[in-house]
Amino acid sequence: MRLHEYQAKEVFAEAGIPVPDAELARTVEEAVAAAEEIGYPVAIKAQVHVGGRGKAGGIELVENETEAREAADRILGMDLKGFHVDRVLVEDAVNFVNEVYVGVTMDRGVGRPVAMVSSRGGVNIEEVAEEDPDAIAREHIDPAFGMHDFQARKAVYDAGLDRDVAGDVASILTTLYDLWEERDGADAEINPLMVTADDEVIAADAVFNIDGDALFRQPDLAELEDEAAEDDLEAKANEYGFDYVRLDGNVGIIGNGAGLVMTTLDLVDYYGGAPANFLDIGGGAKAERVANALDMVFSDENVDAVVFNIFGGITRGDEVANGINSALEQFDDIPKPVIVRLAGTKAEEGMEILNTDLVQVEATLEDAVQAAVAAAEEVDS
Amino acid sequence: MRLHEYQAKEVFAEAGIPVPDAELARTVEEAVAAAEEIGYPVAIKAQVHVGGRGKAGGIELVENETEAREAADRILGMDLKGFHVDRVLVEDAVNFVNEVYVGVTMDRGVGRPVAMVSSRGGVNIEEVAEEDPDAIAREHIDPAFGMHDFQARKAVYDAGLDRDVAGDVASILTTLYDLWEERDGADAEINPLMVTADDEVIAADAVFNIDGDALFRQPDLAELEDEAAEDDLEAKANEYGFDYVRLDGNVGIIGNGAGLVMTTLDLVDYYGGAPANFLDIGGGAKAERVANALDMVFSDENVDAVVFNIFGGITRGDEVANGINSALEQFDDIPKPVIVRLAGTKAEEGMEILNTDLVQVEATLEDAVQAAVAAAEEVDS
Amino acid sequence: MSVLVDEDTRVVVQGITGGEGKFHTEQMLEYGTDVVAGAVPGKGGQEVAGVPVYDTVSRAAREEDADASVLFVPPAFAADALFEALDAPLDLVVAITEGIPTQDMSRVYRRQQETDTYLVGPNCPGVITPGEAKLGILPGNIFSGGSVGLISRSGTLTYQVVDNLTERGLGQSTAIGIGGDPIIGTDFIDALELFNADSETDAVVMCGEIGGEDEEDAAAYIDQHVDTPVVGFIAGRTAPPGKRMGHAGAIVSGSGTGTAESKINALEAAGVPVGDTPEEVADNVSDLL
Amino acid sequence: MSVLVDEDTRVVVQGITGGEGKFHTEQMLEYGTDVVAGAVPGKGGQEVAGVPVYDTVSRAAREEDADASVLFVPPAFAADALFEALDAPLDLVVAITEGIPTQDMSRVYRRQQETDTYLVGPNCPGVITPGEAKLGILPGNIFSGGSVGLISRSGTLTYQVVDNLTERGLGQSTAIGIGGDPIIGTDFIDALELFNADSETDAVVMCGEIGGEDEEDAAAYIDQHVDTPVVGFIAGRTAPPGKRMGHAGAIVSGSGTGTAESKINALEAAGVPVGDTPEEVADNVSDLL
């Protein structure tokens, strides 16, 4: 789960990390009022989950009311790399002499957290990592002990930071790590952490992504989730409890189990089609869940045909077949052609139950995918 | 550092461990008023650092005002195993059907904390440990991870506690451990943890000793220290920053370094004398510290002669000698004979500096101790 | 022969009194697995499907001489249950639970690495040695005994591949679902090491997917240490960066690591043929044997 | 020969800019110890007694090729400094600091046990190989080279015993002050193992004291594993139960464990003569050589 910049900054500030004065605005008037209150210059920053907002025109530095009004008017409502901007953060523009990077994430390769510091803040850190990996000091953290104080210092000194700010940056890194640990962070980043002429440090941007599996014990962060959701279909998937990812193609895909669904997507591509989505109904799905899945995929206007691929382990073919039948029987006209393949537990029973007036049944994964690709092509043409 | 029962209970209660209603009283009137307010029956319990208070007459259960007055009058001011009672805890008497033991301490043998549970609460747990070690379930804690929840459950079930109270006792043990860890406990114990007829559990006694070396980060607990100190001389040693232990004998002992001071005590005993104290002036002592040490030992009316044994490493013989001279020169009459032995750094210089009108100088540890034992005997006879 | 589990494996079910725990205990017993105990705090003394329940894993292990557990404990309590299994100690813990917080698993993994316990999972379908024992939720009926070892990050994809293998008469020695989470106990390398040392496994199928670098690491390991022929499959060729494809671990990072392409290239460079479809995987195995 | 330290030991002083750190750095240099660096956060680039200071231990170790450290860091920061030394990594860390909270040491010890680093102390006078190197605060002038290994929980008692040994012409191979705290790195057994393997140590003196069961454990170890003759001394025969005799570790528990009597009996049963006075200890060594 990703927090917006303004949400992340609230969480960071509460933990004691210095952040600039700022206010959230949803209208031009709110933005201008905020700018007046904070005092110019201010930055007006689109609140969307997009990297490189600055380059894409989502951040503007303004010096007076006229500029503020113009910038807010332009940014609010704009489409930023496919995301609609409905909120901006109006923020005191910090006068800085230096920008550094601090971050914490899980290094899954070693199964341990890693804290990172770089003197090359303010730019895309992933590019820095590729061009000049040594410019990022990395300190793996023993999750049994948490981050030792010396590790924060070591990262900061190894990154070559000035001794004058080293102590403050180390202490912010420690706070960031502790926060990441306590709040079940996935990634926590401050980029840039600005250094002012008098060696103050202040978090000018903030990223805080939370482990979705841990939201049960972070109820206040879980409440922010709705506010952060952007896509209607993805919000619907959250509601239904599906693992769902929307893609660009026109073949809708429903299946059970992440690996099998991914494989189904890959086969759609392999046979010349284009997958419209990833939708995993999980294990042991009953009729209602099956109907919800069909509803999801039918709601996607890009979808021209649907392949329903189930390999039953806990999931029973007969239950799925009944679910499909009853979901489709509601329609006078089936909205999109549905191709079904059932295997595994109670697959034969399921095949018999399926109403072949409503769906096309195929015996193998390969046949089902090919049929769906062909059907989608036909609708599309 | 040892907390009194009432102090420990306050700390435990704050952490969420249930304790009986109670009030501290310093006078009979306060005790009676407290009893009336809490409601009879109440227990009146001497607040002194003595084990087995009950057997020694320091705890009494009273049913009405007359009994309360009599008990408070008898206990307040009494001498309990050498300790003067100036405070009693007046506490709601819990109706119990069962008594269990829970405790946390450091097992120095393995360098790890150990959590303990026994169904044989309410009795001296050290006796239980000797008679029937299996009656105490012990769970070593990995200090990197802290106590896992399963460990609390395991200790409770291994101790054979009823399933009806197991969850509550495990949760109290978890709280006790966390408290012990957060507050730098040395020993934390609830004995007995009473179980009522309706399976409620409540801490009827409480022990909480704090690691003295960690008091710097437990400022609120450090403030309780004065309140808990009992012996005037030991309070004075705290003030001076000496490691000091008062004993029964008449040979006062001052030295540098715990092992050497202990050895000096042992030699006093070995040569037929009786040590009056352990006093370690530590490393690198200057003149003032030397004078303070002499003041301490002179203040002990049991002392008949003093042996001053220094093996200088960081500590310099000349500094010590000057300290001894200036401390003794204040007196018209030296209060007790002082025998000095200096070795190590600047020992020869020290020997020359020492005013042999004021002190007796000996060349070896053995000679110095024998001389002190002889001098003490002479004074005593 | 087989790896990790066989007919002598004595199993404790952690979380046996829950819906899934109970159902799969029955399924495992039916398959012939020697389920000797259940462990659920506060439920000691009960019975589930004829199996005695204990309050703690250590007591279950002690009383019933168990050496393995399979875990159906809800995510919030799973890490604690895993620490309990490591402490018991058991030789093998198979964690079925999906949705364990990653930081919890990081701590469990930290501890597990110090012990002699094999941890399989979490978020995995389990381990099966056809005809001998299954620990987990794999549908026993699709497996058949044989000499193909199977390692997979995904459950139903495993079934698909097994189905294709069985169709061609290619039975399995043991199938290990290593799980779809970012941090797992037994990884490809651990499993490859086991199969490579198993005299009755003649070929190994490894089903990887996007996310992480385990497949790349496995490729390097195969190149250096594995004599048994290996066949691969990688799911998620069409996955876009930054999107989690169901499994917590199946995500191509924003910086482009963890892609299917990188994994396929690494495996092919190590001499591992990677099939484009599950059918092709079976074909590749067939060619090798 | 010697154990732990010799003329090739390259030493970092942690906390070199503090009063004690600076003083003892000078003393160590004067004794001939190869002090190559200091480490104090924020003080990198400075020099103390001609020794370059670094901000981190790892950088000090890397730049100056150091393999050991001696620690004069105040108690509140000592555990962190110890973790830093373990992480650097160094082969040997000698912790002089007194008053480190016991729970901090419990965590340090937990970590140290997983590493290959020897930790001596805390709350110890250090380690000295006469004529080669000293790491710590021991007064070098009382030591003389020879073949007696010395292990002691106490500082000044060590000096006393060394004085008695030197007086009789019994020089020392290495003296190790293992420290007076309840939780220490190198204990009697570790040190005995080192001396037993050292071809030029012909006898070992162990000075124990009340508290804990390390001496009893050492006695059992000596009985089983040590060929080199061992002589003992135990301080604290007159200590009453429940009172801490200076050292955090020197306390006879309320239940009566940790007594001098128990330790003396155990050592004598293992064939270790225990002297009643430091002089008698020297006599006992003399008798053996």
Side-chain angles (χ1 to χ4, degrees), chain B residues 3-11 13 19-28 30-35 38 41-48 53 58-62 68 71-72 75-76 80 85-93 203-207 227:
Chain B
L3 299 192
H4 281 296
E5 177 193 6
Y6 74 92
Q7 296 169 327
K9 278 184 172 163
E10 276 169 25
V11 176
V19 300
D21 276 352
E23 259 175 69
L24 189 71
R26 287 168 198 271
T27 65
V28 174
E30 277 177 26
V32 171
I38 291 163
V42 296
I44 296 187
K45 306 163 91 175
Q47 298 297 290
V48 282
R53 281 174 305 169
I59 300 181
E60 208 160 310
L61 195 70
V62 300
I75 295 174
L76 278 166
L80 207 65
V85 179
D86 62 0
R87 282 161 288 184
V88 293
L89 189 65
V90 181
E91 185 174 81
D92 191 18
D205 197 359
V207 169
E227 223 177 314

Side-chain angles (χ1 to χ4, degrees), chain A residues 142-145, chain B residues 142-145:
Chain A
D142 184 335
F145 290 95
Chain B
D142 184 335
F145 289 96

Side-chain angles (χ1 to χ4, degrees), chain A residues 253-315:
Chain A
I253 293 158
I254 301 171
N256 66 326
L260 187 60
V261 177
M262 270 191 275
T263 299
T264 311
L265 267 68
D266 292 350
L267 288 185
V268 165
D269 178 70
Y270 181 74
Y271 289 116
N277 67 274
F278 170 103
L279 197 169
D280 179 5
I281 60 169
K286 303 276 188 240
E288 192 191 345
R289 204 162 164 75
V290 167
N292 289 344
L294 280 168
D295 176 46
M296 285 278 315
V297 179
F298 287 160
S299 310
D300 182 349
E301 54 193 20
N302 293 343
V303 169
D304 291 324
V306 179
V307 55
F308 211 119
N309 178 34
I310 297 294
F311 203 118
I314 327 174
T315 312

Side-chain angles (χ1 to χ4, degrees), chain C residues 110-111 114, chain D residues 110-111 114:
Chain C
R110 160 68 165 96
R111 177 74 192 114
E114 294 181 298
Chain D
R110 160 69 165 95
R111 176 76 192 112
E114 294 180 297

